[in-house]
Amino acid sequence: MEIENVFENGGFYMIEEIDIPFEEEILRNPYTLKAWFRYIDHKSEQPIAQQIFVYERALKELPGSYKIWKRYLDLRREKVQDLNPVRYEKEYLKVNNCFERALVLLHKMPRIWIDYCSFLMKQCRVIKTRRTFDRALKALPITQHPRIWEIYLKFAREIGGETAIRLYRRYLKLEPDHVEEYIDLLLSMDRYDEAAKRLAQVVNNDRFQSMHGKSNYQLWMELCELICEHPHEIKSLKVEPIIRSGIRRFTDQVGKLWNSLASYWIKLQHFEKARDVFEEGISTVMTVRDFTQIFDTYAKAEETFIEKKMEEAAKRVEEGIDDPKEDLKLDLRLMRFEQLMDRRPFLVNDVLLRQNPNNVHEWEKRVSLWKDNHEKIVETYSTAMRTVDPKKATGKFHELWVNFAKYYEKGDDLESARTIFEKATHVNFKNVNDLAFVWCEYAEMELRHKFYDKAIEVMSLATVPVGNPNVDFRDENIPVQRRVFKSIKLWSFYVDLEESIGTIESTRAVYDRVLELKIANPQIIINYANFLEENKYFEESFKVYERGVELFNYPIAFEIWNVYLTKFIARYGGAKLERARDLFEQALEKCPPKYSKPLYLMYGKLEEDYGLARHAMRIYDRATRAVADEDRFDMFNFYIAKASANFGVTYTREIYERAIEVLPDKEAKDMCLKYAELERKLGEIDRARALYAHASQFCDPRIVPSFWQIWHDFEVKHGNEDTFKEMLRIKRSVQAQYNTEVNFISAQILATRQANQSTQQGLQPNVSDQTNAPNAMQLIEQETIQNMGNNSKVVKAMAFVPASTQTKKENENSDENVNPDEITMDMDEE
């Protein structure tokens, strides 16, 4: 029902009997919101006219109430939201009128404006809606504008056209960071020129932060793609300067930007400019990746254009049209494309040389690319010599000079090759050996052409000191020309040259010069001595050896002494025995124990062959004290063998006894076994038994059962019941002693584990493995001893006691501990 009709009739027919309590309440309290809301809620199930009637009466009493207006407007909008705004225009106008009435007093309420504008957007009233948005922006404070602009921009995107553009321009004054939305709008409306202009402004603004998380590079790429895809529409920007600035700025994407610039000119049909861009790109890029991108695009563009021209030519042939100019253009393009493909290796080489002009390998490759082009090869070598910095060269720069000279040599132009070598000798190379290599190659070239005197002259010139002869060879701050005369590589070649084509005197002079400079290595010493020996200068060769041992310390001196003494003995034998003895004493004076064993053996052999046997024995005795610990056991065995051969087996007893005293437990045990075997063969059963008793302190029965088996067999063969019992008693005491030591217990456990593992693998652990078990467990023993601290007890080595004394003490102990009730048992029962 019409609202006007409701009030013309007074509207009292809408008041029913159930409404009287509410009517009475609002009559008593007409300005109370709760009373009106209770009345409104009471009418919520009534027809719309009755609800409107109550709302209008409430608003008449409380015209500035936001809550009443909000509920009233929501009710009115809800009733028309599903209606067609054109067909039911009057109903929409009534709602609009309600919004206008509300805004008279509530124009500062953004929610009212938002609802009103959103309601107008559903109606076909563009101007009315736009002006209402403008009124809202004028009425509300600036802090509330973003809420209005959110739906205002939605309205702008829906209507599009010039209105949308102008609205976005206004919005960017408030929020300039949302320019990307404006650019997207322009692109959707095909306004490419203005979009490119705005995008260029964004790219040039270093402070701009993309709302979509795009980097400055991504924005650049979007700008390049935009102007390259729509070159005809872009009028406000100078495209080429923009892309070139991007090339300077984004050095990691140079290839893509060059291709974009060339694509721009291709789409404008400026093919020659595009070709110039491609050529400039491939001649300036610094990486192979960028070059490959540009070159592939360049080649593809040329192929496409050639295909197009060939299709046109084929069409002309079909039509019978003869056009020499177009045919000539096609031939030129084919020839240009072929030339481009031929240039590719050179262009790639140019890129690598621009990347690192000191790359010697690439210069060599460039020379090989020219093949038989003499002028270009010489030009390339010359350019390389001027460009490469010797201190920064990557590769062997000296070989580049040598190859340049060899190129002239192959062409039989020796004068030019000599000139190149002369220039190369003045280059300050990175390393002294590089310059030495140049000098040696210079001399070898002269040798190849049989200019022997010239070769010697070259080497003599190379070895002349320049400036201070005491210069430090390793000082990098000094030019290599002043240090090269101390290069052993240079002198080695020089002496080889003199030995081959020089005289004995000149060769000796060169060798002596090397020794004077104190740069000789052991090989030089040996070569010099061999050279003198070959020429029958034996005493002179021995002097060279003596100078060599003065120059070098051990272990190098050991090798020289070894050769020297061998040569001396081979030369004189026993003729100069005292001199040979002095030499050996000199060699052994400062010789470390590690290297003394061969010298002592050679010394002893000398005395055996040409001297006295007792002198040889004294030398071997000295050797057992002087050699390294790991060689002492072998030295004792050798000494015993020699003593037995020269003086009989009885002479070796003292040696055995001293060996047992000084050797470690494991080796002392082995020595005891050998000594005991010797005494057994000599029939000294008591002495052998005493040795077994002495060795027992080193042998844990659980770890070294082989020793106790040997002693068991010995007692079975040579002993009696008492000696057998004594052996068992010693075995039990040794086992008890080892059981009280934590470190030995650990060793036993580890040995047992190893034995079990061997058994599981089908391998029976042999006696030698068990004998070596304590050595394998040395680490565990050391750790256990450290953990025990001061409480640990280490078994002290027992000094060897002669057989008679040892047997006497054992018998006394046996008598004291006799048990008449003891049960006799053999080894198996134990």
Side-chain angles (χ1 to χ4, degrees):
M1 181 179 291
E2 297 274 350
I3 297 174
E4 291 78 0
N5 297 334
V6 172
F7 285 96
E8 286 176 0
N9 298 324
F12 298 112
Y13 66 91
M14 294 186 181
I15 300 175
E16 300 176 356
E17 185 176 354
I18 60 175
D19 300 334
I20 292 175
F22 296 99
E23 289 289 342
E24 290 176 352
E25 185 179 5
I26 62 175
L27 286 175
R28 287 193 301 269
N29 301 302
Y31 304 111
T32 303
L33 281 176
K34 290 184 179 180
W36 284 107
F37 279 135
R38 281 194 289 269
Y39 197 5
I40 290 170
D41 292 340
H42 170 68
K43 287 287 188 179
S44 61
E45 302 297 332
Q46 301 297 324
I48 183 63
Q50 294 187 21
Q51 297 182 46
I52 292 173
F53 173 69
V54 177
Y55 271 114
E56 289 292 345
R57 289 173 61 194
L59 290 173
K60 187 176 181 181
E61 298 295 337
L62 299 170
S65 175
Y66 170 76
K67 292 184 178 180
I68 297 176
W69 273 113
K70 182 69 172 67
R71 293 181 64 172
Y72 182 35
L73 294 173
D74 289 345
L75 176 65
R76 297 297 298 267
R77 283 191 301 128
E78 183 182 355
K79 296 301 180 183
V80 300
Q81 64 180 358
D82 297 329
L83 302 178
N84 189 307
V86 178
R87 185 174 180 181
Y88 296 94
E89 182 180 3
K90 290 182 179 182
E91 297 299 327
Y92 275 88
L93 289 175
K94 291 176 184 179
V95 180
N96 293 346
N97 184 44
C98 286
F99 273 107
E100 293 292 345
R101 287 164 54 205
L103 290 171
V104 172
L105 295 177
L106 302 179
H107 58 279
K108 294 298 182 181
M109 298 297 176
R111 185 72 258 174
I112 304 297
W113 285 109
I114 292 172
D115 292 343
Y116 187 21
C117 293
S118 300
F119 184 67
L120 288 174
M121 287 172 60
K122 296 180 180 180
Q123 307 174 37
C124 300
R125 298 176 181 273
V126 177
I127 297 176
K128 174 69 175 176
T129 305
R130 179 172 56 80
R131 289 177 178 176
T132 304
F133 274 114
D134 294 341
R135 286 167 55 200
L137 293 173
K138 291 178 182 180
L140 295 173
I142 190 68
T143 55
Q144 301 290 344
H145 283 196
R147 299 177 65 184
I148 303 298
W149 275 112
E150 184 178 354
I151 57 175
Y152 201 179
L153 294 178
K154 181 179 179 182
F155 167 72
R157 289 191 291 270
E158 288 178 358
I159 62 174
E162 188 65 24
T163 302
I165 293 175
R166 291 179 179 273
L167 289 178
Y168 262 97
R169 287 176 184 171
R170 286 175 56 194
Y171 175 65
L172 291 179
K173 294 179 181 179
L174 177 67
E175 297 287 350
D177 292 339
H178 291 72
V179 66
E180 291 175 275
E181 297 180 11
Y182 180 42
I183 294 172
D184 294 338
L185 177 67
L186 293 172
L187 293 176
S188 64
M189 299 171 60
D190 297 338
R191 303 287 288 268
Y192 301 114
D193 186 59
E194 187 172 356
K197 185 177 179 181
R198 285 283 184 173
L199 195 54
Q201 293 174 359
V202 169
V203 167
N204 292 327
N205 185 6
D206 295 333
R207 298 182 179 179
F208 178 78
Q209 295 293 332
S210 174
M211 301 294 291
H212 302 299
K214 295 180 180 179
S215 64
N216 192 263
Y217 164 72
Q218 289 175 312
L219 296 173
W220 263 104
M221 290 295 102
E222 289 182 5
L223 177 59
C224 293
E225 291 176 2
L226 178 60
I227 59 182
C228 293
E229 291 177 2
H230 309 282
H232 297 283
E233 289 83 358
I234 306 300
K235 305 295 183 183
S236 303
L237 298 177
K238 294 182 179 179
V239 176
E240 187 165 358
I242 291 175
I243 298 181
R244 287 184 180 274
S245 65
I247 292 172
R248 293 190 296 270
R249 187 171 182 178
F250 303 105
T251 55
D252 57 336
Q253 296 294 332
V254 172
K256 191 173 182 180
L257 291 171
W258 278 115
N259 288 338
S260 299
L261 181 56
S263 176
Y264 170 77
W265 290 117
I266 290 174
K267 290 187 177 181
L268 289 178
Q269 303 297 316
H270 295 170
F271 300 110
E272 293 302 324
K273 284 189 176 181
R275 183 179 293 107
D276 293 340
V277 169
F278 280 127
E279 289 290 340
E280 184 180 357
I282 60 179
S283 61
T284 56
V285 292
M286 301 296 292
T287 64
V288 177
R289 179 176 64 88
D290 292 333
F291 168 80
T292 304
Q293 287 181 345
I294 299 173
F295 187 87
D296 292 345
T297 307
Y298 187 11
K300 187 175 181 180
E302 290 289 345
E303 288 179 356
T304 303
F305 197 78
I306 290 173
E307 289 177 0
K308 184 178 179 181
K309 289 293 183 182
M310 293 181 71
E311 290 175 0
E312 293 177 357
K315 188 176 180 180
R316 289 196 302 272
V317 171
E318 292 177 359
E319 296 176 353
I321 301 174
D322 188 12
D323 192 345
K325 291 184 178 180
E326 291 297 327
D327 294 340
L328 179 60
K329 289 182 181 180
L330 177 60
D331 293 339
L332 289 174
R333 286 196 172 275
L334 288 171
M335 184 174 61
R336 185 179 294 166
F337 180 72
E338 183 179 355
Q339 185 183 13
L340 175 65
M341 301 309 293
D342 293 338
R343 287 167 52 206
R344 192 181 193 284
F346 293 94
L347 294 172
V348 173
N349 184 259
D350 287 337
V351 172
L352 295 173
L353 288 177
R354 282 196 299 273
Q355 195 176 75
N356 181 13
N358 299 311
N359 191 335
V360 177
H361 177 70
E362 292 302 324
W363 284 109
E364 291 282 6
K365 186 184 292 185
R366 190 170 188 85
V367 170
S368 63
L369 289 174
W370 289 116
K371 297 181 180 179
D372 298 330
N373 193 330
H374 175 73
E375 294 181 358
K376 289 295 183 180
I377 290 176
V378 174
E379 180 184 351
T380 302
Y381 272 123
S382 302
T383 305
M385 304 312 171
R386 293 192 304 269
T387 305
V388 176
D389 184 352
K391 296 295 184 181
K392 300 178 181 179
T394 303
K396 299 178 180 179
F397 185 46
H398 56 284
E399 290 188 359
L400 191 64
W401 280 96
V402 171
N403 292 336
F404 191 12
K406 287 182 177 180
Y407 176 75
Y408 278 115
E409 182 187 358
K410 291 179 182 178
D412 296 330
D413 189 355
L414 291 182
E415 290 301 322
S416 298
R418 292 190 180 103
T419 303
I420 298 301
F421 274 120
E422 290 292 337
K423 290 181 179 180
T425 57
H426 293 86
V427 176
N428 189 17
F429 292 104
K430 188 188 306 183
N431 196 328
V432 177
N433 288 329
D434 296 345
L435 181 58
F437 179 81
V438 172
W439 280 111
C440 294
E441 289 292 332
Y442 190 4
E444 284 188 358
M445 184 192 73
E446 300 294 349
L447 288 176
R448 284 194 293 269
H449 296 276
K450 300 182 180 181
F451 295 109
Y452 304 118
D453 294 338
K454 182 66 176 177
I456 293 178
E457 181 183 349
V458 168
M459 294 309 299
S460 62
L461 181 63
T463 53
V464 173
V466 179
N468 182 13
N470 297 322
V471 66
D472 186 2
F473 180 75
R474 296 178 178 82
D475 191 351
E476 298 293 337
N477 297 322
I478 301 175
V480 293
Q481 283 77 14
R482 295 173 56 186
R483 295 182 284 144
V484 70
F485 74 95
K486 284 192 172 183
S487 172
I488 190 62
K489 179 178 181 179
L490 193 68
W491 284 103
S492 298
F493 183 84
Y494 194 7
V495 296
D496 290 344
L497 185 63
E498 286 288 353
E499 286 187 18
S500 301
I501 60 177
T503 61
I504 297 176
E505 289 73 14
S506 63
T507 305
R508 291 184 61 184
V510 174
Y511 272 118
D512 290 337
R513 180 59 179 159
V514 174
L515 295 177
E516 289 174 6
L517 291 173
K518 297 181 179 180
I519 60 174
N521 56 19
Q523 190 61 48
I524 292 289
I525 300 296
I526 301 299
N527 291 344
Y528 189 12
N530 289 337
F531 172 76
L532 293 173
E533 185 180 355
E534 290 173 359
N535 290 279
K536 310 302 181 182
Y537 292 93
F538 298 104
E539 285 298 328
E540 296 296 330
S541 68
F542 296 151
K543 290 180 180 179
V544 171
Y545 284 123
E546 292 176 0
R547 293 176 68 179
V549 296
E550 291 176 0
L551 288 175
F552 301 102
N553 295 323
Y554 284 91
I556 297 176
F558 167 75
E559 301 297 339
I560 299 176
W561 274 117
N562 198 8
V563 177
Y564 180 19
L565 295 172
T566 303
K567 296 279 188 181
F568 188 89
I569 295 172
R571 170 68 179 166
Y572 294 111
K576 296 185 178 183
L577 186 59
E578 289 301 325
R579 182 178 172 186
R581 289 170 177 168
D582 291 340
L583 291 177
F584 274 106
E585 293 298 335
Q586 292 178 25
L588 293 170
E589 182 178 0
K590 297 181 181 180
C591 182
K594 182 178 180 181
Y595 304 100
S596 60
K597 179 181 175 182
L599 296 179
Y600 276 112
L601 294 177
M602 191 184 303
Y603 193 5
K605 184 70 166 57
L606 173 70
E607 290 292 349
E608 288 183 33
D609 293 343
Y610 306 105
L612 299 176
R614 65 175 180 273
H615 289 173
M617 293 303 103
R618 283 201 297 268
I619 292 171
Y620 293 140
D621 184 68
R622 282 175 57 191
T624 59
R625 295 178 173 84
V627 298
D629 293 341
E630 57 270 18
D631 296 330
R632 187 168 284 117
F633 181 74
D634 294 336
M635 196 67 228
F636 268 113
N637 287 330
F638 184 82
Y639 183 19
I640 290 170
K642 288 294 183 181
S644 176
N646 293 325
F647 298 100
V649 293
T650 57
Y651 184 82
T652 61
R653 282 174 172 162
E654 294 181 0
I655 304 174
Y656 273 116
E657 291 178 4
R658 193 167 67 83
I660 293 170
E661 290 179 1
V662 300
L663 288 175
D665 291 351
K666 177 182 178 299
E667 296 176 351
K669 180 261 297 183
D670 296 337
M671 193 62 70
C672 284
L673 291 175
K674 295 179 66 174
Y675 191 11
E677 181 65 18
L678 172 65
E679 295 292 357
R680 188 187 65 78
K681 291 179 180 179
L682 294 175
E684 298 288 345
I685 304 302
D686 291 338
R687 291 182 61 85
R689 184 176 292 109
L691 287 168
Y692 284 124
H694 178 72
S696 64
Q697 63 183 320
F698 310 129
C699 304
D700 183 0
R702 290 188 179 88
I703 298 178
V704 195
S706 58
F707 168 78
W708 298 98
Q709 183 64 39
I710 294 172
W711 195 0
H712 172 270
D713 296 341
F714 172 80
E715 293 296 346
V716 169
K717 184 180 294 186
H718 303 285
N720 52 40
E721 183 178 357
D722 293 335
T723 59
F724 194 86
K725 287 182 178 180
E726 182 66 16
M727 185 266 293
L728 295 179
R729 185 192 65 79
I730 294 174
K731 181 178 180 181
R732 284 193 296 271
S733 64
V734 170
Q735 185 171 352
Q737 178 184 9
Y738 276 94
N739 286 339
T740 59
E741 297 294 333
V742 177
N743 55 330
F744 290 110
I745 294 173
S746 302
Q748 292 168 2
I749 293 173
L750 186 57
T752 304
R753 289 179 181 174
Q754 292 179 349
N756 291 337
Q757 291 176 359
S758 301
T759 304
Q760 291 175 0
Q761 295 174 359
L763 300 175
Q764 183 65 27
N766 53 33
V767 175
S768 62
D769 292 339
Q770 296 170 342
T771 304
N772 294 331
N775 289 336
M777 288 159 259
Q778 184 178 1
L779 182 60
I780 295 179
E781 294 174 0
Q782 291 176 355
E783 292 179 353
T784 309
I785 292 173
Q786 292 175 0
N787 293 332
M788 292 175 62
N790 296 329
N791 295 327
S792 62
K793 297 180 180 180
V794 183
V795 178
K796 297 181 180 179
M798 299 170 61
F800 177 74
V801 180
S804 59
T805 305
Q806 180 73 12
T807 306
K808 182 179 180 181
K809 290 183 178 180
E810 290 176 355
N811 292 334
E812 291 176 357
N813 294 334
S814 177
D815 295 336
E816 293 174 359
N817 299 321
V818 168
N819 184 2
D821 297 328
E822 183 178 6
I823 299 174
T824 303
M825 55 178 61
D826 57 10
M827 192 67 176
D828 296 333
E829 293 175 346
E830 202 280 340

